[in-house]
Amino acid sequence: MSDPSVHKLVIIGSGPAGWTAAIYAARAQLDPVVYIGVPKQDPGPILPGGQLMLTTDVENYPGFPDGIAGPEMMDQFQQQALRFGTKIVGQDIVRCDFSTTPLTLYTSKDEVIKAHAVIVATGATANWLGQENEMRLARSGGGVSACAVCDGALPMFRDQPLAVVGGGDSALEEAHHLTKFASTVYLIHRRDELRGSKIMRERFTSKPNAEVLWNKVVVDVLGDEKITGVLLEDTKTGEQSELTLKGLFIAIGHTPTTRFLQDSGLAFDDKGYIKLETRASTTNIPGVFAAGDVADANYRQAITAAGMGCQAALDVEHWLGDQNLI
Ligand code: NAP
């Protein structure tokens, strides 16, 4: 039987995948412990609860015909997991050694945790262009952000010209959100075709203060203490032009949160997502499972993350049973 000082299951991450895994695991009496992480700026906000904490209305999760605010949804997931006895720890896991049996995890308070099974559900965080002035103004609160939903309502952006970089659903969602506050919202996209879905495209472009700037990239962000504009380059002609702005929002996709796993022995795919084996949630390491955006470069939806969390919990239950650990 299992050593009582060793957790049966540790879940890292507290988005839809982590909480769904916790609900299933707790109901299966696996006594899951969820490391929800601590809030941080890196340089944008990273919150326990994940990307949905930065989302206003979730309209495509079945069961909520009128939509639901992202943070409220995550609170409800958490309450449901708690109802069945899930334990919650407000720390980060900063390093993992999966070469040991049981598995070893190190927390941000220098604690060493042992677990028979781990579900990694740490999601993904927003990408940046990576330019010097962009990062400087993002860190200083100078009007550059990777989250319009979090920052767009600030007084500094009211009735001002704002821009969103990107052409996917995130960019369209952010740009649409900003049309409520801005004088004009420019969507700066590097191609002549948007990647985002038709409904999101139409929602944004139907607004009178929306404008798409096609075939443009931001080559510099202008301004000392606050952004005053961007230098754009046309990807077809190479021509450069300045655009006056009071706010710039970057929405160019996400990177999976896996830095703390670099020395763990886990395998990653060529985009840096955790590589899954043939079973839905299994990784290259026995006892280590992954779910949600951290292992999904394709769908990255709340509902698919929740489904993956369910699969991971069921896979853990089978695996612990096969090992005679439950
Ligand atoms: P995405 O679909 O990967 O789109 C990223 C966008 O950023 C693309 O248009 C890409 O341009 C552009 N881009 C990437 N790197 C760039 C760079 N260095 N400079 C300029 N532009 C750059 O990412 P996402 O929009 O975050 O969406 C991810 C997933 O979440 C998708 O499956 C999406 O449907 C989903 N999502 C859904 C909703 C919703 O339904 N409510 C909301 C948000 C996200 P190219 O097009 O040229 O590659």
Side-chain angles (χ1 to χ4, degrees):
M1 273 310 281
S2 178
D3 173 349
S5 71
V6 179
H7 296 298
K8 282 183 219 153
L9 171 62
V10 166
I11 298 169
I12 315 171
S14 50
W19 288 130
T20 306
I23 291 164
Y24 273 77
R27 293 188 76 243
Q29 301 188 321
L30 302 184
D31 309 326
V33 180
V34 180
Y35 279 77
I36 62 172
V38 290
K40 52 187 91 63
Q41 288 285 124
D42 189 21
I46 298 177
L47 300 172
Q51 294 295 306
L52 283 183
M53 300 303 285
L54 311 175
T55 302
T56 41
D57 294 323
V58 182
E59 294 181 329
N60 50 11
Y61 199 99
F64 300 94
D66 301 321
I68 180 170
E72 190 188 340
M73 181 186 234
M74 283 305 90
D75 184 54
Q76 292 196 13
F77 274 45
Q78 177 171 336
Q79 296 311 321
Q80 196 169 344
L82 284 172
R83 184 179 148 210
F84 299 111
T86 299
K87 289 207 182 78
I88 294 178
V89 184
Q91 291 187 50
D92 280 331
I93 296 295
V94 293
R95 190 162 72 83
C96 298
D97 183 353
F98 293 150
S99 65
T100 60
T101 306
L103 306 159
T104 310
L105 300 88
Y106 300 86
T107 76
S108 42
K109 288 193 180 157
D110 285 337
E111 287 167 9
V112 179
I113 306 297
K114 298 277 180 188
H116 292 304
V118 169
I119 295 175
V120 182
T122 43
T125 53
N127 291 341
W128 296 83
L129 298 172
Q131 295 170 6
E132 199 181 324
N133 288 328
E134 171 208 24
M135 300 319 295
R136 177 176 57 77
L137 289 165
R139 288 196 191 97
S140 68
V144 178
S145 160
C147 183
V149 173
C150 332
D151 301 331
L154 292 173
M156 67 192 279
F157 298 128
R158 295 266 158 162
D159 301 315
Q160 300 294 340
L162 309 176
V164 175
V165 181
D169 279 334
S170 297
L172 288 163
E173 185 176 41
E174 305 246 307
H176 175 258
H177 180 70
L178 291 175
T179 58
K180 295 177 199 159
F181 313 108
S183 55
T184 306
V185 181
Y186 300 98
L187 186 72
I188 301 171
H189 185 40
R190 62 185 178 183
R191 292 189 294 133
D192 57 6
E193 193 186 346
L194 293 170
R195 183 178 292 277
S197 56
K198 189 164 178 272
I199 184 169
M200 304 289 275
R201 268 181 277 165
E202 285 173 358
R203 195 175 287 177
F204 171 64
T205 54
S206 66
K207 295 287 171 186
N209 56 346
E211 189 175 330
V212 183
L213 302 179
W214 302 103
N215 303 315
K216 298 281 187 294
V217 287
V218 172
V219 288
D220 200 4
V221 181
L222 312 172
D224 293 331
E225 288 186 8
K226 299 277 179 212
I227 183 173
T228 55
V230 288
L231 184 62
L232 297 175
E233 188 170 288
D234 191 295
T235 54
K236 297 236 153 121
T237 63
E239 195 181 314
Q240 294 199 336
S241 57
E242 275 189 31
L243 177 68
T244 299
L245 293 176
K246 296 291 180 185
L248 179 69
F249 296 85
I250 313 297
I252 58 169
H254 292 82
T255 298
T257 309
T258 54
R259 207 183 306 156
F260 71 106
L261 295 167
Q262 292 315 314
D263 302 322
S264 67
L266 267 183
F268 302 97
D269 70 13
D270 53 2
K271 291 181 183 161
Y273 290 78
I274 295 175
K275 196 170 171 185
L276 297 179
E277 304 283 306
T278 42
R279 249 191 112 115
S281 69
T282 54
T283 69
N284 63 314
I285 297 176
V288 181
F289 301 78
D293 288 11
V294 75
D296 174 19
N298 295 317
Y299 301 105
R300 291 181 287 177
Q301 303 295 303
I303 186 77
T304 51
M308 291 174 80
C310 160
Q311 289 173 319
L314 295 177
D315 287 348
V316 166
E317 191 182 358
H318 284 134
W319 186 83
L320 288 172
D322 288 348
Q323 308 299 311
N324 291 323
L325 291 166
I326 51 174

